[in-house]
């Protein structure tokens, strides 16, 4: 029985998404099919089953939540790769949908589509708080604490984890 390669992260770790115009143009440019991704190449090279949980635009909170959702499926001798995302991305609870919304940011401004239940000014203030010199270290400490927890679980279960 083959072991698994688990991938967690943002778009740098996610499969191609043909529903976007950008990816459709890239597929055409590549002659009608996508090339293998880095994680597909790695799973083939290591002879591991690929289980990909990469989510385009995901922030670190969503990535960590996805790891927690899947942690009981990871077995001894599996390999886990976690690609943490930008600190400027965060989750926001939407009052209308009662769901988490992932807040993603482009060139110094938030990308809002109207469903977030948050103003652009508020989201920009949160990004400033998360990325300014005075508080940036606090948010990186959260990532370090999460890695300590994942490392501990990795030792208990016996899987390998890479960041």
């Amino acid at each position: 029985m083959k072991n698994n390669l688990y991938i967690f992260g943002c778009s740098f770790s996610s499969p191609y998404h043909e529903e976007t115009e950008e990816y459709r143009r890239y597929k055409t440019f590549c002659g009608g099919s996508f090339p293998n991704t880095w994680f597909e190449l790695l799973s083939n090279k290591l002879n591991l089953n690929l289980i990909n949980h990469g989510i385009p635009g995901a922030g670190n909170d969503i990535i960590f939540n996805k790891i927690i959702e899947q942690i009981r499926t990871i077995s001894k001798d599996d390999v886990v790769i976690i690609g943490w995302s930008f600190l400027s991305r965060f989750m926001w609870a939407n009052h209308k949908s009662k769901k988490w919304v992932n807040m993603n940011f482009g060139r110094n401004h938030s990308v809002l589509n109207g469903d977030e239940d948050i103003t652009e000014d508020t989201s920009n203030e949160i990004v400033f708080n998360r990325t300014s010199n005075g508080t940036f270290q606090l948010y990186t400490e959260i990532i370090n604490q999460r890695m300590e927890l994942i490392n501990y679980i990795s030792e208990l279960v016996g899987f390998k984890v890479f960041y």
Side-chain angles (χ1 to χ4, degrees), residues 90-103 105 110-124 126:
F90 63 94
M91 294 188 324
W92 185 263
N94 182 285
H95 289 93
K96 297 171 194 161
S97 68
K98 304 209 180 347
K99 294 183 179 179
W100 288 111
V101 176
N102 189 57
M103 301 301 287
F105 296 86
S110 59
V111 179
L112 302 175
N113 64 21
D115 296 331
E116 291 82 2
D117 198 24
I118 183 176
T119 68
E120 187 168 351
D121 285 344
T122 300
S123 63
N124 287 334
I126 293 169

Side-chain angles (χ1 to χ4, degrees), residues 73-103:
T73 67
I74 301 170
S75 301
K76 184 179 186 327
D77 296 324
D78 284 345
V79 176
V80 175
I81 297 178
I82 301 167
W84 297 114
S85 189
F86 303 98
L87 291 178
S88 59
R89 293 176 175 173
F90 63 94
M91 294 188 324
W92 185 263
N94 182 285
H95 289 93
K96 297 171 194 161
S97 68
K98 304 209 180 347
K99 294 183 179 179
W100 288 111
V101 176
N102 189 57
M103 301 301 287

